[in-house]
Amino acid sequence: MCEPRTSSKKLLAIFIWFGIASPLSFFNVIDCQDVAVDDYDQIHNPAVLPLVTQLVYSRISNLTSLLSHEIGHRASFCVKDPETEWNQAFNFSSNLDFLSSCIRKTKGDITKRLCTAAEMRFYFNGFFESSRSADFLKPNQNCNLTSWVSGCEPGWACSVGPQQNVDLQNSKEMPARTTNCQACCEGFFCPQGLTCMIPCPLGSHCPLARLNETTGVCEPYLYQLPPNQPNHTCGGANVWADFSSSMSIFCSAGSYCPTTTKKVPCGSGHYCRMGSTSEKKCFKLSSCNSKTATQNLHAYGIMLIAALSTLLLIIYNFSDQVLTTKERRVAESREAAARSARNTANARQRWHSAKDAAKKRASELQAQLSRTFSRNKKEASHSGKLQILDQETSETDVELLPALSITSCLDVPSSAVPNEMRKEPSDLMQMVHEIENDPDIDENFSVESKERSFKRKMPKVKQLNTHAQIFKYAYAQLEKEKAQQQENKNLTFSGVIRMAINSEPRKRPLIEISFKDLTLTLKSQRKHILRCVTGKIKPGRITAVMGPSGAGKTTFLSALAGKAHGCTATGSILINGKNESIHSYKKIIGFVPQDDVVHGNLTVEENLWFSAQCRLSSDLSRPDKVLVVERVIEFLGLQSVRNSLVGTVEKRGISGGQRKRVNVGLEMVMEPSLLILDEPTSGLDSASSQLLLRALRRESLEGVNICMVVHQPSYALFKMFDDLILLAKGGLTVYHGSVKKIEEYFAGFGINIPERINPPDYFIDILEGMSVPGGSSGVSYRELPIKWMLYNNYPVPFDMQQGVSKIDVSPQSVNTATEMDPHGSGHQQTFAGELWQDVKHNVELQGEKIRLNYSKSKDLSNRKTPGVFMQYKYFLIRVGKQRLREARIQAIDYLILLLAGACLGLLTKSSEQTFGAVGYTYTVIAVSLLCKIAALRSFSLDKIQYWRERDSGMSSLAYFLSKDTVDHFNTVVKPLVYLSMFYFLTNPRSSFADNYIVLLCLVYCVTGIAYALAMFFEPGAAQLWSVLLPVVLTLIATKQRDNDFLKGIANVCYPKWALQAFVIANAERYHGVWLITRCGSLKESGYNLHDWNLCVLILICIGIISRVLAFFSMITFQKK
């Protein structure tokens, strides 16, 4: 039995001893004090109460720490650090006034009213049960159908019996707690259905309730008094649960609660969110009135928008100005170099004129001297003659002798003439030699030995670095080539011999293509589109392919270029007499498509220069590449539009004829050995066509094998061709040979061309059946292919041998061909059979294309083009210029994104209960939709250009990486643009950096998905999928998933991971009183607080995987 009265010092000693010796014996101390309840004055002793309060708090801390590990283990998905989280909720060490007040109110038996570990576990475990209600607990030992004391009512608690001890750490059994029931203390909450008290967490406000006489509700907790109990009053707080169930205990917005019993309005210059324990100082430039919940960050949003706008304007305008200035400076250098080259050419022309005049004068002098000294000094005159004519080393001296010096020779004695002729060159001649031998004056200026001088100076070309030097070299060479061409028109016999014995190695390898019995048959229809074509196209010659519509002209070129798909090919195609794949020579083969496939947002020069950089030999120096490009621009007559944009359908550029010449120039700049052109003169007038043919004629002089399809050329154009392949309908050959002999060939059949009729037009009209051959030929246009086969003793197909009987020829002389019937045996298939055959042929066609795309042929071109990294550099420069010229479109994208952020920021308020999940859901949909549609333009708009570049041997990987690299600028900037409005309008608790990182990964992810959509679908379908996917996938990700199948589908939806990252980053900032709300919301959504890094990583992985799929689909699927 404890003494009834104990001094303060003794009582302090007892508490200290019990606190150190054994924490479990604390309840015995309370027992002793309870027994001494008759004298309660010691509790009010100012020296004793703080010690008792600290001791009680230490026991509460031990109890809460015990529960923190258990709840933290079970709620690990919503608690990162259980100890830290629990301290943020129940660390009351800074202020224990509420505990001291409760000790005084309960007269010292507070520990008998506190919930034990078993009761607190019983309460908190109910939150993990789906059937749990926030207002009611399951029946227990103290509150059930037979036992319902007043302490079971909300806001009330009871004590155990006088002689009963309470072990707060007992987690297995609930004590019988039914006596001395009274209202719950301030700072504690007493759940309905439990007769004990639990401390309110930090961030809550738990005062005593007051009865509203009008409504009969205990405010602010909104529970009612029990019926038929007039002595029962309103108690304290009754529940701590999620925000929707226990909103009344949360410290209100605009105020902060340093303790659970005190609420202080937020002061000016500070803001207090709901559930705050302290006020936070507002940022500079933000406005914060008193009692405000959030700080007004609109100023920062405006500043960020202004900074972004200024930066983008500077980048786009400055970059455009840089491009313009650079182009202007290059143009000035080019014009100066061209002017210098023309002056040099004019000087050279004057030099030749002076030389010719000097030679003429020397000849006259020789004749005059011969006549004067013919009698007496014949030998001396003959010697002087030899000195004048055979003096090759000093020929220039003779040519430039002043007229006065030459005429003065007539007055000297005859014996002095030879001595005078043997004099050393004058000062003028020495100056001329210095000019001729000094490279600093003119690198390429040489009169007698231009080729040798050029060869000696070739190593110096490698050292040219500046634009002025490079253009000077290029235009000097161009003027030299023009002069050489002019000289070639009037070559003497010695000049021809010199050209014939020229040992200079040829720059381009020769390619000769021969084909025999070339037949192409459509697999699906078993129809011939090219048949029994035999012949040869030779290097250095221009071969024209003509014929009516349906004659298979384009198919013939496609077969030569290895581009004929979906056909069964028979016969043989030989390259230089060898059975090799044409794809082995694709680096030196140029194919000009019928459509003008050029980049409309690049200038003429940029298009040509890019093709030259990627396709010319990497060993070729930059000056030589510039020379090639300048030569093509010069020959194609594109000087006036070289700096003009080619233009697109929406934006006008150069004319159609100029665009056609640029289309041809893209293949000419790579210096091909074989150049195949599909209707290059279609849509051109006669002058433009002749200009193009003259450029091709210059190419043929370099040994290029040129084959082109033309439609009814003019007579002047027709005469510029060397050979002609004339095809009839069905792909049959009518004529293949020299253009000069075609009229003679048809005249042998009695087909003569009428006067004033263009021969190509007449031949086409005959093959179309529109004109009947005149004269006495009696030949039908259907017989012309047979006559050609008989003329060359080619095999005649079996189904065409009936036409042989109509021709006057002996059947023994007919060479029959063994060919399968293209129409089969005549068996009529059913509809299902035909459908199956069509499906089968389509599958085979796609498989053939895929095999061709992934097949690699041995490179026999002997040309080493730039590698992937160098081409990546060239592609990067080109794409960068294209994007800079699309600045207006980019600005519209940013403006739309800015408006979307503003609208969603104003319309969707940040919900504290869901941690802003609604606004983030709309953010995922809006950003995904807008960024996908914008990213589709990267690959959807220039598929055709890519297919052409890829067929020419350019790197697909470099093309793809360059596009993706430039798009990274949008990936970085677009999240800033959107968040500059959305973040500062919604003002979530998560940091700007967290939101930016998640949005950055989201934009990267959806951009990769947009790439894949652009590759798989046509532009219209790709846009539709870009709109549908974000909405559908977000609905799947946010829908309640009741089975594993839906969970599996949701796990592959990128909106789930983006939304989860947003919510986790925001929910992590909620603590204290928000702990249960956070766990409940995350549990309902299926999120885990530890998965933020995982979410970001998955978004990045989806972006990478989608890019890999997009790349493989890009190189797999070709144009239909």
Side-chain angles (χ1 to χ4, degrees):
M1 192 75 176
C2 295
E3 298 180 359
R5 289 186 178 271
T6 309
S7 66
S8 300
K9 293 183 179 181
K10 290 183 178 180
L11 186 60
L12 175 60
I14 293 173
F15 275 116
I16 294 176
W17 185 85
F18 276 107
I20 297 176
S22 176
L24 295 178
S25 61
F26 163 74
F27 306 105
N28 296 328
V29 176
I30 298 299
D31 276 343
C32 295
Q33 197 169 357
D34 289 339
V35 174
V37 74
D38 294 337
D39 189 358
Y40 189 69
D41 293 338
Q42 295 300 328
I43 297 298
H44 296 279
N45 190 332
V48 176
L49 183 59
L51 299 177
V52 176
T53 302
Q54 286 292 338
L55 190 57
V56 173
Y57 175 65
S58 66
R59 300 304 181 264
I60 295 177
S61 299
N62 291 335
L63 174 62
T64 55
S65 62
L66 175 66
L67 291 173
S68 68
H69 294 290
E70 183 175 350
I71 295 178
H73 176 72
R74 189 166 184 180
S76 59
F77 66 93
C78 62
V79 177
K80 274 191 173 181
D81 187 355
E83 185 176 354
T84 302
E85 296 283 358
W86 206 256
N87 284 333
Q88 290 177 338
F90 295 104
N91 187 357
F92 308 108
S93 59
S94 60
N95 193 324
L96 297 177
D97 291 343
F98 79 99
L99 193 56
S100 300
S101 176
C102 188
I103 292 174
R104 289 193 298 266
K105 179 180 179 180
T106 58
K107 299 180 180 181
D109 69 341
I110 181 174
T111 55
K112 295 184 178 182
R113 296 178 180 273
L114 290 176
C115 291
T116 63
E119 290 171 308
M120 294 183 71
R121 177 186 294 175
F122 175 76
Y123 176 78
F124 287 111
N125 283 348
F127 293 110
F128 297 99
E129 300 176 5
S130 58
S131 60
R132 163 74 164 82
S133 174
D135 298 327
F136 299 97
L137 292 173
K138 292 181 179 180
N140 54 74
Q141 177 182 352
N142 297 316
C143 300
N144 50 58
L145 295 179
T146 58
S147 173
W148 190 268
V149 295
S150 59
C152 295
E153 297 295 338
W156 276 58
C158 299
S159 178
V160 297
Q163 303 298 326
Q164 185 177 357
N165 295 329
V166 177
D167 184 4
L168 293 181
Q169 297 187 7
N170 188 345
S171 60
K172 296 182 179 180
E173 297 179 357
M174 293 185 184
R177 207 189 297 268
T178 57
T179 61
N180 195 13
C181 297
Q182 63 182 29
C184 197
C185 294
E186 286 187 309
F188 291 84
F189 72 95
C190 300
Q192 184 179 13
L194 280 179
T195 59
C196 60
M197 299 188 305
I198 302 176
C200 288
L202 293 174
S204 63
H205 184 224
C206 300
L208 291 177
R210 293 182 180 181
L211 179 64
N212 189 328
E213 299 292 344
T214 303
T215 59
V217 174
C218 295
E219 294 179 348
Y221 306 114
L222 304 181
Y223 59 83
Q224 295 180 339
L225 297 178
N228 302 322
Q229 295 186 20
N231 295 327
H232 194 90
T233 61
C234 292
N238 65 318
V239 64
W240 173 45
D242 61 288
F243 178 79
S244 61
S245 302
S246 58
M247 181 172 49
S248 56
I249 74 166
F250 281 71
C251 190
S252 60
S255 302
Y256 68 98
C257 300
T259 66
T260 56
T261 59
K262 183 179 180 181
K263 182 167 68 173
V264 182
C266 206
S268 179
H270 298 78
Y271 70 98
C272 301
R273 297 180 184 270
M274 180 173 287
S276 299
T277 58
S278 62
E279 57 182 1
K280 293 185 178 180
K281 189 175 181 180
C282 295
F283 297 151
K284 293 182 179 180
L285 302 180
S286 62
S287 58
C288 292
N289 300 324
S290 60
K291 299 182 181 180
T292 184
T294 57
Q295 53 183 335
N296 189 346
L297 298 176
H298 295 173
Y300 287 93
I302 294 173
M303 292 174 58
L304 182 57
I305 294 172
L308 285 175
S309 302
T310 304
L311 178 63
L312 293 176
L313 287 175
I314 290 174
I315 290 175
Y316 287 127
N317 292 332
F318 183 73
S319 300
D320 186 60
Q321 188 65 35
V322 168
L323 291 177
T324 304
T325 305
K326 183 178 179 181
E327 290 175 357
R328 183 172 63 250
R329 291 176 62 86
V330 171
E332 291 174 356
S333 300
R334 186 189 305 112
E335 292 173 0
R339 188 164 52 251
S340 174
R342 285 193 297 268
N343 294 336
T344 303
N346 294 333
R348 185 183 292 111
Q349 184 66 29
R350 291 193 298 270
W351 181 276
H352 284 289
S353 300
K355 183 182 68 174
D356 293 339
K359 283 184 177 180
K360 183 178 180 181
R361 185 62 180 165
S363 298
E364 294 176 356
L365 176 62
Q366 174 190 348
Q368 189 174 4
L369 291 176
S370 298
R371 288 193 300 269
T372 303
F373 303 105
S374 59
R375 290 183 181 181
N376 301 324
K377 298 181 179 180
K378 183 176 181 181
E379 293 181 359
S381 175
H382 182 69
S383 176
K385 177 182 176 182
L386 291 178
Q387 286 182 353
I388 293 174
L389 295 180
D390 297 336
Q391 192 177 11
E392 293 182 2
T393 57
S394 60
E395 180 181 353
T396 309
D397 302 354
V398 177
E399 292 171 357
L400 293 182
L401 281 176
L404 180 62
S405 300
I406 296 176
T407 54
S408 65
C409 293
L410 299 176
D411 301 327
V412 298
S414 59
S415 61
V417 172
N419 295 329
E420 204 58 44
M421 289 298 149
R422 284 191 293 267
K423 282 185 178 181
E424 292 184 0
S426 63
D427 295 338
L428 176 63
M429 302 316 303
Q430 294 179 0
M431 183 183 301
V432 169
H433 283 300
E434 291 177 359
I435 293 175
E436 191 170 332
N437 297 323
D438 189 357
D440 296 332
I441 297 177
D442 190 358
E443 298 168 357
N444 306 297
F445 189 83
S446 178
V447 177
E448 293 296 329
S449 55
K450 293 185 289 292
E451 293 296 332
R452 292 191 299 272
S453 176
F454 173 70
K455 291 179 184 179
R456 288 195 303 268
K457 293 176 177 58
M458 278 300 293
K460 289 193 175 183
V461 172
K462 306 290 185 181
Q463 302 174 2
L464 301 179
N465 295 320
T466 64
H467 288 292
Q469 293 174 338
I470 293 174
F471 284 128
K472 184 178 179 181
Y473 162 74
Y475 279 98
Q477 289 300 112
L478 288 177
E479 294 296 334
K480 176 185 171 182
E481 292 174 0
K482 290 180 182 179
Q484 186 66 39
Q485 291 174 4
Q486 189 66 28
E487 291 179 4
N488 291 340
K489 292 182 180 180
N490 301 315
L491 277 180
T492 61
F493 179 75
S494 61
V496 174
I497 296 299
R498 186 171 66 251
M499 291 181 61
I501 63 176
N502 186 14
S503 60
E504 181 181 356
R506 187 179 297 273
K507 289 195 265 185
R508 308 188 195 183
L510 301 180
I511 292 182
E512 180 184 84
I513 298 182
S514 58
F515 38 90
K516 182 177 181 181
D517 292 334
L518 182 61
T519 302
L520 269 69
T521 308
L522 288 176
K523 292 181 179 180
S524 58
Q525 302 178 6
R526 306 285 295 174
K527 177 184 177 182
H528 292 306
I529 54 178
L530 200 67
R531 196 172 188 191
C532 300
V533 179
T534 302
K536 181 185 297 184
I537 56 175
K538 303 175 183 179
R541 300 179 69 84
I542 301 178
T543 303
V545 181
M546 295 175 55
S549 298
K553 303 181 293 297
T554 301
T555 303
F556 172 69
L557 293 187
S558 299
L560 295 184
K563 298 177 181 291
H565 306 302
C567 303
T568 301
T570 58
S572 61
I573 299 178
L574 303 180
I575 313 297
N576 293 333
K578 300 178 181 179
N579 187 13
E580 296 171 341
S581 173
I582 192 68
H583 299 289
S584 300
Y585 299 89
K586 67 179 180 180
K587 291 184 179 180
I588 55 175
I589 294 178
F591 186 88
V592 180
Q594 183 175 353
D595 299 325
D596 300 331
V597 183
V598 293
H599 291 278
N601 49 8
L602 294 177
T603 64
V604 172
E605 184 178 5
E606 288 169 350
N607 273 288
L608 298 178
W609 178 241
F610 174 78
S611 181
Q613 282 182 310
C614 291
R615 301 178 65 184
L616 286 174
S617 175
S618 57
D619 299 330
L620 199 64
S621 64
R622 181 181 177 86
D624 289 328
K625 291 181 180 179
V626 172
L627 172 60
V628 172
V629 175
E630 294 297 328
R631 182 188 295 123
V632 171
I633 292 177
E634 178 79 19
F635 290 166
L636 292 177
L638 298 172
Q639 302 93 329
S640 60
V641 294
R642 64 184 304 152
N643 292 323
S644 301
L645 293 177
V646 174
T648 58
V649 178
E650 296 84 5
K651 188 175 182 180
R652 178 69 177 174
I654 59 179
S655 66
Q658 293 166 340
R659 186 184 180 95
K660 178 71 70 174
R661 280 177 272 164
V662 174
N663 188 32
V664 177
L666 290 177
E667 303 301 324
M668 291 177 60
V669 293
M670 50 86 64
E671 295 192 332
S673 296
L674 172 63
L675 184 58
I676 301 175
L677 305 95
D678 190 4
E679 301 185 20
T681 59
S682 297
L684 299 182
D685 55 16
S686 179
S688 299
S689 298
Q690 291 189 27
L691 179 64
L692 178 61
L693 260 294
R694 281 196 292 269
L696 295 177
R697 172 59 63 187
R698 294 187 183 95
E699 290 291 303
S700 66
L701 294 177
E702 295 286 335
V704 181
N705 190 346
I706 301 175
C707 183
M708 57 188 297
V709 172
V710 291
H711 273 299
Q712 297 179 320
S714 63
Y715 186 73
L717 206 65
F718 182 69
K719 287 298 183 180
M720 296 179 71
F721 298 129
D722 297 313
D723 298 323
L724 174 66
I725 299 177
L726 192 59
L727 299 177
K729 288 187 176 181
L732 294 165
T733 307
V734 173
Y735 177 80
H736 179 20
S738 175
V739 170
K740 299 178 180 179
K741 297 181 179 180
I742 184 172
E743 296 183 21
E744 178 184 350
Y745 170 75
F746 280 101
F749 303 142
I751 301 177
N752 298 313
I753 301 173
E755 295 183 359
R756 299 183 179 179
I757 297 296
N758 186 19
D761 295 342
Y762 185 66
F763 296 145
I764 298 299
D765 292 343
I766 290 177
L767 295 177
E768 284 279 7
M770 299 174 60
S771 298
V772 179
S776 58
S777 63
V779 178
S780 171
Y781 71 92
R782 293 186 177 88
E783 299 175 1
L784 293 177
I786 302 177
K787 283 186 172 292
W788 174 255
M789 295 178 187
L790 297 176
Y791 180 81
N792 293 278
N793 196 25
Y794 292 156
V796 180
F798 178 79
D799 60 327
M800 297 179 62
Q801 292 182 7
Q802 295 179 356
V804 177
S805 60
K806 301 179 182 179
I807 303 175
D808 188 13
V809 63
S810 60
Q812 291 79 11
S813 62
V814 177
N815 187 3
T816 60
T818 58
E819 185 182 20
M820 295 180 61
D821 184 9
H823 303 289
S825 59
H827 176 68
Q828 185 69 25
Q829 289 186 344
T830 62
F831 174 79
E834 292 183 1
L835 181 62
W836 167 251
Q837 290 296 328
D838 291 341
V839 173
K840 181 180 178 182
H841 291 319
N842 288 333
V843 173
E844 292 177 352
L845 177 61
Q846 294 298 329
E848 180 182 354
K849 289 182 178 180
I850 293 175
R851 286 193 301 271
L852 181 62
N853 293 335
Y854 286 99
S855 63
K856 288 186 178 181
S857 302
K858 183 180 179 181
D859 185 15
L860 301 176
S861 60
N862 295 326
R863 175 180 291 185
K864 183 181 179 182
T865 55
V868 175
F869 291 104
M870 287 302 298
Q871 291 192 37
Y872 169 73
K873 172 186 173 183
Y874 300 146
F875 273 108
L876 200 62
I877 295 173
R878 185 186 76 176
V879 176
K881 291 181 179 179
Q882 290 175 319
R883 294 299 168 81
L884 289 175
R885 293 191 173 109
E886 296 172 354
R888 181 173 298 178
I889 299 177
Q890 298 288 335
I892 293 175
D893 289 342
Y894 295 147
L895 179 60
I896 295 175
L897 205 60
L898 194 71
L899 293 176
C903 294
L904 293 180
L906 292 172
L907 297 177
T908 59
K909 298 299 181 181
S910 180
S911 174
E912 300 281 8
Q913 183 176 357
T914 60
F915 310 111
V918 177
Y920 288 132
T921 301
Y922 294 145
T923 293
V924 171
I925 295 176
V927 173
S928 299
L929 191 150
L930 295 176
C931 292
K932 278 183 183 178
I933 292 179
L936 289 177
R937 293 195 299 265
S938 296
F939 292 96
S940 294
L941 300 182
D942 55 357
K943 279 186 178 180
I944 300 177
Q945 287 87 345
Y946 161 71
W947 288 329
R948 176 178 183 176
E949 292 170 353
R950 182 195 171 190
D951 290 341
S952 65
M954 294 188 191
S955 171
S956 298
L957 181 60
Y959 169 80
F960 185 88
L961 291 179
S962 65
K963 290 272 190 178
D964 189 34
T965 302
V966 174
D967 278 343
H968 286 341
F969 178 79
N970 289 330
T971 304
V972 173
V973 174
K974 285 185 175 181
L976 289 174
V977 174
Y978 180 82
L979 289 176
S980 64
M981 296 299 296
F982 179 81
Y983 181 84
F984 295 108
L985 288 175
T986 56
N987 199 6
R989 298 199 183 190
S990 54
S991 65
F992 185 89
D994 290 338
N995 285 267
Y996 176 75
I997 292 174
V998 177
L999 206 57
L1000 178 71
C1001 297
L1002 175 62
V1003 174
Y1004 178 80
C1005 173
V1006 299
T1007 302
I1009 296 175
Y1011 291 166
L1013 294 177
M1015 300 302 175
F1016 278 105
F1017 303 103
E1018 296 297 324
Q1023 290 179 2
L1024 182 60
W1025 277 106
S1026 298
V1027 174
L1028 288 178
L1029 275 181
V1031 179
V1032 174
L1033 294 182
T1034 304
L1035 290 176
I1036 295 175
T1038 56
K1039 183 179 176 59
Q1040 293 292 336
R1041 296 170 292 277
D1042 299 330
N1043 54 59
D1044 295 336
F1045 178 73
L1046 292 178
K1047 290 182 180 179
I1049 295 178
N1051 287 334
V1052 297
C1053 297
Y1054 73 88
K1056 172 196 171 180
W1057 304 104
L1059 184 59
Q1060 182 174 349
F1062 277 125
V1063 173
I1064 288 174
N1066 202 24
E1068 191 176 1
R1069 306 305 175 102
Y1070 289 77
H1071 47 76
V1073 71
W1074 292 100
L1075 186 58
I1076 295 179
T1077 306
R1078 180 213 291 175
C1079 292
S1081 179
L1082 294 181
K1083 180 184 178 184
E1084 183 179 1
S1085 302
Y1087 298 158
N1088 194 316
L1089 204 62
H1090 302 270
D1091 290 346
W1092 190 85
N1093 292 330
L1094 176 64
C1095 295
V1096 171
L1097 182 61
I1098 289 178
L1099 288 176
I1100 296 175
C1101 290
I1102 293 176
I1104 295 174
I1105 293 173
S1106 58
R1107 281 168 171 78
V1108 172
L1109 292 177
F1111 174 73
F1112 280 102
S1113 62
M1114 182 183 72
I1115 63 177
T1116 300
F1117 299 105
Q1118 289 280 356
K1119 180 175 61 176
K1120 294 183 180 180

